C-alpha cells in the first residue's frame, strides 16, 4: 500500500493508532502502521520513560505523540492560564455535593489513604487541560526520535510548529468541521485529521460521510487522515474512497490483547452495541463520546446540577472517576458508573485480537474491497459496451 502519508512518514500501511498504551503504539509501528502515544495523562517524567521504552521496542520504525493543546482557555480573556487553586475555587458547592451523594448512593467506597499515591495500572483522566503542561510534555517528546506530533483542541502554537519542523518532525491537527481547516493550515500543519461525530473522545457533530470529503477539499494539497468509526477493511476503504490518504483509529485498539484497558471496561466494550455510546459533557465539560454508563445518565438526570465548563468539570470529576475505577472489582455500583471514551464502532469490537491481526484484517479487507470494485466496475463496463 502506498499513499502520500506512507511516503511522508516512512510507513507501509496508512493506518495510524491513537493510544494511551505504549504496548499498542509499539505493536502498531512494528506491524507497519504508525503508533501515536496520547500524552495528555502523563507527567513529563512518565513520558520520558514511555518514549524510551517505545524507542527500544520499535527500533527504527516511526512513531509519534498526541497532545491536547487548548486554543482557548477558560477564565481569562487573554488566554493566560489560571492557577489550579483559582479554578478549584470556582467549582460550586452544589456540584461537589452532587458527586458525593452520587458516589454514596452507588455505594462506592472511600479510598484508603495509603492508596492515593499509588499509580493505577490503567490510564484515567487526572488533570485539567493545561497549555503549560502540554508544552512541557512536548519538550520531552522532541528530545526523542518521534516523527509526528498531533495536536487536538485547536491549532498548534507557532513555537511548537517551529521547534518540531526544525527537527524534521511533522505536525498534524485534528479538526471536526471544515471551518477549522483554514486555521490549521495557517498554523503550518503537515497533515489534517478529520475526526467525525462517530469517534471516541472529544468530537464535533458532523458524520464522517460528509466531513471527510469536505475537509479533503478544504485541505487542498495537505493530506487528510479520516478518524471516527474505522475498525475494518471496509471502513478503511470507504475513507480512502472519500479522499483520505489514511486512517486514524482510536477505539479499535482498546480491545486488543496489548491494550491496558481496565479488564472490566474491556468486558463492557466487547458486549456493547453501536447504540451504547453517548456524547456527554460529564467528564471534561466538552462534548466527549463515551460508553453510556450510569455516570453519564446521572449527569443528565433531574437531580443533576448540570456539567461545568471545561476545565472545571474535569477538576471536579477526576478524583471521583479514579475512586470509581479503583472500586470497580469490589463494588457493583462502581461498575455501573465506570466507563471510558469509545466511539460508535464499539458495536463491532466483539473479540480480543492482537494488534498485528487488526492491522492485517484492515489491510486485507481494504484490498478485497478495491479488488471487488475493480472487478464489478470492469464487468459493468463490458455490459455497457
Ligand atoms: C480512550 C480514548 C481516548 C482518547 N483521547 C484522545 C486525546 O487525548 N487526544 C486526541 O487527540 N484524541 C483522543 N481520542 C480520539 C482519537 O484520537 C481518535 O480521533 C478517535 O478515537 C477516532 O475515532 P474511533 O474511536 O472511532 O476510532 C481518544 C480516543 C480514545 C478511544
Amino acid at each position: 500500500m502506498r499513499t502520500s502519508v506512507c511516503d511522508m512518514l516512512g510507513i507501509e500501511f496508512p493506518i495510524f493508532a491513537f493510544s494511551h498504551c505504549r504496548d499498542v503504539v509499539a505493536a502498531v509501528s512494528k506491524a507497519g502502521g504508525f503508533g501515536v502515544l496520547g500524552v495528555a495523562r502523563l507527567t513529563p517524567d512518565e513520558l520520558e520513560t514511555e518514549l524510551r521504552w517505545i524507542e527500544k521496542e520499535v527500533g527504527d520504525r516511526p512513531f509519534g505523540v498526541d497532545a491536547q493543546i487548548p486554543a482557548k482557555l477558560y477564565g481569562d480573556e487573554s488566554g493566560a492560564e489560571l492557577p489550579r487553586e483559582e479554578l478549584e475555587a470556582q467549582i460550586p458547592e452544589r456540584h461537589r455535593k452532587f458527586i458525593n451523594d452520587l458516589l454514596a448512593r452507588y455505594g462506592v467506597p472511600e479510598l484508603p489513604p495509603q492508596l492515593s499515591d499509588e499509580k493505577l495500572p490503567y490510564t484515567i483522566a487526572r488533570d485539567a487541560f493545561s497549555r503549560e503542561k502540554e508544552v512541557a510534555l512536548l519538550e520531552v517528546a522532541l528530545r526523542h526520535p518521534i516523527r509526528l506530533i498531533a495536536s487536538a483542541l485547536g491549532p498548534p502554537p507557532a513555537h511548537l510548529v517551529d521547534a518540531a519542523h526544525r527537527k524534521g518532525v511533522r505536525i498534524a491537527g485534528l479538526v471536526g468541521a471544515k471551518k477549522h481547516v483554514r486555521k490549521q493550515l495557517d498554523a503550518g500543519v503537515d497533515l489534517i485529521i478529520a475526526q467525525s461525530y462517530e469517534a471516541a473522545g472529544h468530537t464535533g457533530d458532523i458524520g464522517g460521510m460528509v466531513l471527510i470529503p469536505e475537509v479533503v477539499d478544504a485541505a487542498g494539497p495537505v493530506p487528510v487522515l479520516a478518524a471516527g468509526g474505522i475498525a475494518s477493511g471496509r471502513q478503511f476503504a470507504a475513507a480512502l474512497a472519500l479522499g483520505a490518504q489514511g486512517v486514524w483509529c482510536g477505539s479499535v485498539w482498546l480491545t486488543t490483547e496489548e491494550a491496558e484497558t481496565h479488564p472490566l471496561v474491556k468486558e463492557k466494550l466487547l458486549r456493547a452495541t453501536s447504540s451504547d455510546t453517548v456524547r456527554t459533557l460529564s467528564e471534561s465539560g466538552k462534548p466527549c463520546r463515551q460508553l453510556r454508563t450510569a455516570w453519564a445518565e446521572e449527569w443528565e438526570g433531574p437531580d443533576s446540577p448540570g456539567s461545568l465548563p471545561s476545565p472545571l468539570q474535569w477538576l471536579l470529576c477526576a478524583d471521583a472517576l479514579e475512586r470509581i475505577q479503583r472500586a470497580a472489582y469490589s463494588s457493583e455500583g462502581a461498575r455501573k458508573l465506570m466507563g471510558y471514551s469509545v466511539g460508535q464502532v464499539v458495536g463491532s469490537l466483539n473479540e480480543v485480537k492482537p494488534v498485528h491481526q487488526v492491522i492485517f484484517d484492515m489491510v486485507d479487507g481494504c484490498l478485497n474491497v478495491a479488488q471487488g470494485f475493480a472487478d464489478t466496475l470492469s464487468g459493468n463496463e463490458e455490459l455497457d459496451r
Side-chain angles (χ1 to χ4, degrees), residues 335-367:
R335 282 197 292 283
K336 287 187 182 152
L337 292 166
M338 183 172 66
Y340 206 48
S341 288
V342 73
Q344 292 179 328
V345 80
V346 68
S348 61
L349 308 180
N350 302 320
E351 57 174 320
V352 176
K353 293 185 197 174
V355 161
H356 69 84
Q357 185 72 46
V358 172
I359 300 221
F360 176 83
D361 290 348
M362 283 178 72
V363 171
D364 189 49
C366 179
L367 293 174

Side-chain angles (χ1 to χ4, degrees), residues 54-216:
I54 293 171
E55 247 171 272
K56 227 169 119 203
E57 249 334 88
V58 303
D60 57 2
R61 300 274 183 158
F63 65 97
V65 297
D66 173 287
Q68 304 193 44
I69 307 174
K72 278 193 216 134
L73 287 166
Y74 171 80
D76 190 318
E77 292 301 305
S78 69
E81 205 154 348
L82 291 184
R84 188 167 176 136
E85 314 78 69
E86 271 184 51
L87 290 170
E88 294 265 4
Q90 294 187 32
I91 296 176
E93 207 36 54
R94 195 158 75 98
H95 285 75
R96 295 197 189 276
K97 181 170 176 339
F98 174 73
I99 291 215
N100 288 338
D101 291 351
L102 180 65
L103 295 183
R105 212 155 24 93
Y106 278 80
V108 180
E110 298 274 354
L111 286 182
Q114 74 273 18
L115 261 188
S116 52
D117 291 335
E118 199 181 284
K119 194 172 151 35
L120 275 173
Y122 322 110
T123 46
I124 53 157
R126 226 179 214 292
D127 243 328
F129 301 115
S130 157
R131 195 180 285 153
E132 199 186 325
K133 186 188 138 204
E134 293 295 328
V135 169
L137 287 167
L138 292 173
E139 278 171 12
V140 172
L142 281 170
R143 295 203 290 267
H144 292 266
I146 53 166
R147 305 255 183 105
L148 179 81
I149 296 175
S151 140
L153 305 179
H159 63 88
L160 167 65
V161 177
D162 293 346
H165 283 166
R166 271 199 303 277
K167 296 196 140 204
V169 174
R170 306 293 185 148
I171 297 272
L174 262 86
V175 302
K178 175 181 147 187
K179 67 179 180 206
H180 299 143
V181 173
R182 187 69 263 157
K183 281 190 188 155
Q184 293 282 355
L185 296 178
D186 289 347
V189 301
D190 306 288
L191 263 174
I192 300 259
I193 301 160
Q195 199 212 36
S196 58
Y197 178 72
E198 302 92 316
H202 295 106
T203 62
D205 52 12
I206 305 169
M209 210 62 161
V210 170
L211 179 74
I212 296 160
E214 278 189 353
V215 170
V216 166

Side-chain angles (χ1 to χ4, degrees), residues 225-293:
L225 304 178
I230 300 163
S232 71
R234 284 181 293 170
Q235 287 153 338
F236 182 13
L240 297 180
L242 294 173
Q245 297 290 304
V247 290
W248 174 277
C249 310
S251 296
V252 70
W253 317 110
L254 297 176
T255 50
T256 55
E257 273 176 25
E258 290 86 343
E260 267 177 8
T261 317
H262 190 301
L264 296 177
V265 171
K266 225 181 220 181
E267 274 176 29
K268 281 193 179 191
L269 298 179
L270 291 167
R271 278 200 312 269
T273 72
S274 50
S275 305
D276 291 331
T277 73
V278 61
R279 228 165 126 250
T280 173
L281 300 170
S282 64
E283 184 174 299
S284 70
K286 287 179 183 285
C288 183
R289 188 173 297 287
Q290 307 242 320
L291 212 48
R292 186 188 299 280
T293 60

Side-chain angles (χ1 to χ4, degrees), residues 1-3 6 9-15 29-34 61-62 363:
M1 269 189 176
R2 191 167 172 196
T3 70
C6 295
L9 293 162
I11 49 178
E12 224 171 312
F13 309 119
I15 299 176
S29 288
K30 287 200 303 199
F34 192 95
R61 300 274 183 158
V363 171

